[in-house]
Amino acid sequence: MVDRSSPNAAPPGRPPRQPLSAASLVFRLGGIAVIVAAVAGAFAYVHGNLDPQRLTPKALVDVLEKNNGVHPGFRRNHAKGVCVIGHFESSAEARAFSTAQVFNLPQTPVVGRFALPAGNPYAPDSAVPIRSLALRFTQANGQQWRTGMNSMPVFPVGTPEAFYQLQQAQSPDPATGKPDPTKVPAFFAAHPEAVPFLTWVKTAKPSASYATETYNSINAFYLVDGNGKKQAVRWSMTPLAQDAAGATAPEGADFLEKDLVQRLAAAPLRFQLNITLANADDPVNDASKTWPANRKVLNAGTLVLEKTQPQLSGECRDINYDPLVLPAGIQGSADPLLAARSAGYADSYLRRTSEVSQLPAAKQEARP
């Protein structure tokens, strides 16, 4: 997941991007895999720039730009979204596992962002079957918890190297301007760890509302209690809306933001923060592996979203939703994708914030 932002309409003269074709499984799997990989943001090791033989944030963000196109001033992925403002109401269930104030005080303010996982800020909302939600919790002591979550349950691969290979497989051939259709199937044939993800992709459908999706951390983290004891966890935000099953997305460009604005005009939206506790033998450092469904789940509290803001001028605009910005009481795991995401988000943020001069004057005043 690169850091996020976008406008709401295609520029003059540019036709809307067509949704992914369901007629070709190869292109569907390949296209979604690329988008999902960008969602989770496996973008090289934090210190990869010290070794030219290792992947660097620059190399991986470069390949995203090659595949998605360059849109100056905008996030390199999750480019289309909307800001949301609200708060988190904690329950008592996570307090024994973590000293973080977000779990130990009644309320914590939140600035979030719903987004479409695509690098093109003008993509139609029905283009991909994935939605994302990023949140920044600001504790009373000034410490922050930032998290980026996605509606897919598992990541296709477990390493930045594999992610980069997947991006390369999807890159356009200079001779044709299109990806080689043999490369993505060859990649997946060489990566059996992608089977759970591919199984999900075959039945995934884009929802008609941001409000009806469950958003998953995918990567694992640790909760740390007052004695320094660590508990490996993954978390999800589960909607409490009565129509949480959702409807399939209609064809069209911009229905997600409109739906969200209408819902919040009627009443706040609520999501339950469910924290899954790993057993000692569960894989913690590999986001391509699931945990058994019978693991203990804590109801850590309720996210209450109260209003939207345009992402061009809203509070989420300049936030880098780096998943390793964590308060005392929460720690990152050794999953290499976490360090990769952190490094890639920083690279993307620096690129878009240095491109203000390339935007029209009106957009410079409310840059993404």
Side-chain angles (χ1 to χ4, degrees), residues 35-96:
I35 292 166
V36 173
V39 171
F43 298 123
Y45 296 117
V46 170
H47 300 296
N49 59 332
L50 300 180
D51 182 349
Q53 301 305 313
R54 294 180 70 180
L55 292 175
T56 65
K58 180 182 184 302
L60 280 165
V61 178
D62 281 350
V63 78
L64 284 176
E65 290 183 348
K66 181 178 180 180
N67 292 353
N68 297 325
V70 178
H71 303 278
F74 298 105
R75 287 168 159 91
R76 289 335 194 227
N77 220 302
H78 297 257
K80 184 179 187 178
V82 57
C83 297
V84 285
I85 306 297
H87 65 274
F88 178 73
E89 300 173 351
S90 68
S91 73
E93 292 192 21
R95 295 173 185 172

Side-chain angles (χ1 to χ4, degrees), residues 3-302:
D3 82 297
R4 309 155 195 240
S5 87
S6 114
N8 294 321
R14 179 177 295 182
R17 194 174 182 180
Q18 295 300 313
L20 294 175
S21 172
S24 172
L25 179 60
V26 169
F27 279 103
R28 179 175 172 80
L29 294 181
I32 292 174
V34 169
I35 292 166
V36 173
V39 171
F43 298 123
Y45 296 117
V46 170
H47 300 296
N49 59 332
L50 300 180
D51 182 349
Q53 301 305 313
R54 294 180 70 180
L55 292 175
T56 65
K58 180 182 184 302
L60 280 165
V61 178
D62 281 350
V63 78
L64 284 176
E65 290 183 348
K66 181 178 180 180
N67 292 353
N68 297 325
V70 178
H71 303 278
F74 298 105
R75 287 168 159 91
R76 289 335 194 227
N77 220 302
H78 297 257
K80 184 179 187 178
V82 57
C83 297
V84 285
I85 306 297
H87 65 274
F88 178 73
E89 300 173 351
S90 68
S91 73
E93 292 192 21
R95 295 173 185 172
F97 296 90
S98 174
T99 60
Q101 286 187 346
V102 67
F103 302 127
N104 289 278
L105 294 181
Q107 286 194 11
T108 302
V110 172
V111 177
R113 186 172 183 273
F114 286 105
L116 186 73
N120 180 356
Y122 314 112
D125 290 352
S126 56
V128 292
I130 306 156
R131 312 294 182 230
S132 67
L133 173 60
L135 300 171
R136 183 192 69 183
F137 304 78
T138 302
Q139 297 183 158
N141 63 3
Q143 296 180 4
Q144 295 183 3
W145 174 25
R146 303 185 192 182
T147 179
M149 299 167 286
N150 300 283
S151 60
M152 62 187 185
V154 66
F155 194 65
V157 294
T159 68
E161 292 88 350
F163 166 78
Y164 185 62
Q165 293 166 11
L166 177 56
Q167 292 296 300
Q168 289 180 311
Q170 188 65 12
S171 291
D173 185 330
T176 64
K178 298 179 180 180
D180 182 336
T182 67
K183 288 187 176 181
V184 168
F187 172 87
F188 284 126
H191 289 270
E193 73 273 20
V195 169
F197 169 75
L198 294 177
T199 300
W200 173 79
V201 165
K202 291 177 181 178
T203 58
K205 296 180 179 179
S207 66
S209 176
Y210 285 131
T212 61
E213 289 282 8
T214 293
Y215 299 93
N216 306 299
S217 70
I218 302 177
N219 301 106
F221 296 78
Y222 290 102
L223 299 185
V224 186
D225 68 15
N227 297 316
K229 182 180 178 181
K230 296 181 180 182
Q231 169 64 54
V233 300
R234 289 172 175 165
W235 54 72
S236 62
M237 285 289 182
T238 302
L240 298 180
Q242 292 185 354
D243 62 339
T248 300
E251 296 298 324
D254 299 306
F255 56 85
L256 286 171
E257 183 172 349
K258 293 176 183 177
D259 170 83
L260 187 66
V261 170
Q262 290 173 354
R263 287 173 183 265
L264 288 175
L269 291 175
R270 288 176 166 80
F271 291 77
Q272 182 171 299
L273 174 57
N274 293 321
I275 298 180
T276 301
L277 308 183
N279 282 4
D281 57 348
D282 288 334
V284 173
N285 300 326
D286 188 341
S288 70
K289 291 182 170 57
T290 60
W291 293 349
N294 63 356
R295 296 297 180 253
K296 182 176 181 179
V297 178
L298 307 176
N299 171 6
T302 303

